[in-house]
Each structure stands twice: as C-alpha cells, then as structure tokens.
Amino acid sequence: AHFVVVGGGPAGIELSLALRARFKDMLDSNLSITLIDSSDGLLVNETPANRKALESVMSKYNIDTRFSLLVDEVTSSHVHVHSSKDQSSREKIPYTHIIWATGAEAHDLSWSLNKQCGLEVSETRGWIQVNSYLQSLSHPYIFAAGDCCEIVNDNKKSPPKAGVYAVRSGPILIENLTRFVGASKCAQELVPYHPQDDFLKLLMCGDGTALGFRFGIPLYGKWVWKLKDFIDVMFMDLFDVNKLPKLDEKKDEYDTAQYDASIERPPPLAADDAAKLLLRTDDDVDFHRAWDVLRDMMADDKYKNEVLDIARLSVDKQLSEII
C-alpha cells in the first residue's frame, strides 16, 4: 500500500504518522507513506530547533517528504504534480490511497454574501473581515470567529488558521452576540478579543508519544502525548450540557474567562529545574508538572526567559535522543 498525503501542515503530518502506526504491523515493508507540500519544508515558520526535531521524527517513522510540489491532477492511480520552482519539472506519484489535508478555505456562504450584499471579505481568500470584536467591518450585525474570518487590526497580523484561536475566541463571541442583541445591559460595550502571540502545538506520533513546540523549543516523549490527550479531553468535556456557559444573574453577562483559566498551579520550579523537566524524553515525566511550567512561563516573561536561556543550551542533546 502506498499512501499519499497532500498537505504538510499539522493535520497532514499527524495523519502520516497515524497511518504508519495503524498499518505498520499489518503491512510491514509493503507500507509506504509520502507527504507532499507546496512549501519549501515542513512548518517553515517554526524555529530551526523545532523544524529539526520534526524532521527527525518524520525520518524515524519513515515518512517520505516531498516539497515545493503543486498538484495538477489526481487520477485513479497517480498524483500529477509540478515543481513550484520549475514549471517544466513534472512527475506522476503513484498511490493506492490518497488523503487531502490542505488547510482551511473560505465558506461558499462568504463569497455569496459578498456578491449579494457586499459583505467585506479578503480579496483573494474570501475570509470574512472583522474587527477586534469579531464584528464584520461592513455589516455590524454579522459576527464571525475561527477559520472563516480575518481580524483586521492596524497593529497586529490576524492569527493563523488554528483551532486554538477559534476555541479562545468563543467566549468573546458569545458575550458580544448577547450584548449586541440587547440581552445584556451593556449592549454597546463590546468586548475585544486579544489573540495570543503563540500557542502550544502538539503533534501525535502514533506510538504513544508526541512532539510539541512552545516558546521556540521542541518537547518530545510520552508525557507530551499524555498532555495532548488531557487537554483535548478537558476541552471536549466542556460540551457536557451541565457545563455550558450560564448567565450570571448578578453581573448580567457571560463569563468570558478561558476554559483553562481556573486551573490552580503550585509555585513555579526553579528555572534550571524547569528547563530540565521540559527537555526530558523519558517515560517518568509528570505531564501535569510540565504543563505547570509552560503556563508559568506564559504568565511571567522574566521567568520564561530564564528557563529558555537554560533550555536552548540543551536542545541539541534532546534532538539526538529523538532519533
């Protein structure tokens, strides 16, 4: 079996690794996986250390990666591609199974509303353009959040298309919708959404381990997978009907705090101990404590810099342990 995954973003990477884990025992040497992408490499916006760690993981699990390729056509047996650097360089990549994982696109509704009533969207991609209140620039009674929109802010670039931004804009969206329709006494005082500059990225490797990126350094091991699973389950648990947002009768507004804001943490570890903990790859790491360190770093820039100064000196050693 030859799987071809089109798209080298986090989804394509995780799918490639999941396919290897799922079918390696069944197919053994008869299994090959090729990941193709139009960019010059995997996750090109990550730090060199993070990209090197990812390359090591892909090599370890025997995922063939092909870059700077654009798909022209998909037949029943081959993916026809050409090089983004040389139009004349063309080839046919055989496959038995193909998975498409090429990232977000605008809703058809966005384009339709743009044509029908002038809803303001980005010119080439069709993202609904909103202000910091998640409110349409052209139609103030329309709100949008997540992948379908682009936040227009003179001081800051709109965040990338990632689930964490959709999740964290949710409480703000609920609050602003209820305020706008007059369900709140503060009907005109909308709440701005302030997207974080970066976020914890966690990639499942398929074998009970995961690779993570935060603050420019790679994290790897079973503890990273346990952390990913814990965060995902905690988030899904929010959809229990008993845990949905409720109107505070005293404040007459929704709680816009993030879903993980109430989790208490012990006092921070010493910077040296914190750096050593984050870079450990053994099976005995307490993921709860490691997550505490990451959250402490997010809350205190001075502490974050102290930990990173120490951690960066040991990153090369950690990378050698991944392979």
Side-chain angles (χ1 to χ4, degrees), residues 217-243:
I217 60 173
L219 317 166
Y220 179 80
K222 285 188 176 181
W223 74 266
V224 184
W225 162 247
K226 291 178 180 178
L227 175 58
K228 176 177 173 60
D229 186 56
F230 176 80
I231 292 174
D232 289 346
V233 170
M234 180 178 66
F235 171 68
M236 293 305 298
D237 192 45
L238 293 176
F239 295 94
D240 183 319
V241 67
N242 297 315
K243 297 180 180 179

Side-chain angles (χ1 to χ4, degrees), residues 17 42-43 46-61 203 205 210-213 216-220 315-316 318-320 322-323:
L17 293 167
L42 294 178
L43 306 185
E46 289 296 332
T47 62
N50 287 347
R51 294 185 64 194
K52 185 176 180 182
L54 178 56
E55 290 168 5
S56 298
V57 166
M58 299 299 275
S59 175
K60 175 181 179 180
Y61 295 101
L203 300 171
C205 294
L211 175 66
F213 306 139
I217 60 173
L219 317 166
Y220 179 80
V315 165
D316 287 341
Q318 183 214 29
L319 293 178
S320 66
I322 292 177
I323 302 175

Side-chain angles (χ1 to χ4, degrees), residues 112-170:
S112 297
L113 291 177
N114 171 254
K115 294 177 180 178
Q116 293 174 15
C117 60
L119 177 70
E120 192 162 343
V121 301
S122 60
E123 185 175 351
T124 58
R125 299 302 303 274
W127 311 126
I128 299 173
Q129 298 201 306
V130 299
N131 57 26
S132 60
Y133 306 113
L134 307 177
Q135 183 182 39
S136 167
L137 298 183
S138 58
H139 294 67
Y141 48 83
I142 293 178
F143 289 76
D147 286 359
C148 72
C149 76
E150 177 180 71
I151 301 174
V152 178
N153 189 323
D154 293 336
N155 302 318
K156 210 170 189 180
K157 186 178 179 181
S158 186
K161 305 303 179 186
V164 65
Y165 294 107
V167 167
R168 295 188 179 279
S169 64

Side-chain angles (χ1 to χ4, degrees), residues 54-73:
L54 178 56
E55 290 168 5
S56 298
V57 166
M58 299 299 275
S59 175
K60 175 181 179 180
Y61 295 101
N62 197 25
I63 308 297
D64 179 31
T65 51
R66 303 286 309 280
F67 304 118
S68 303
L69 294 179
L70 298 172
V71 176
D72 296 315
E73 181 185 7

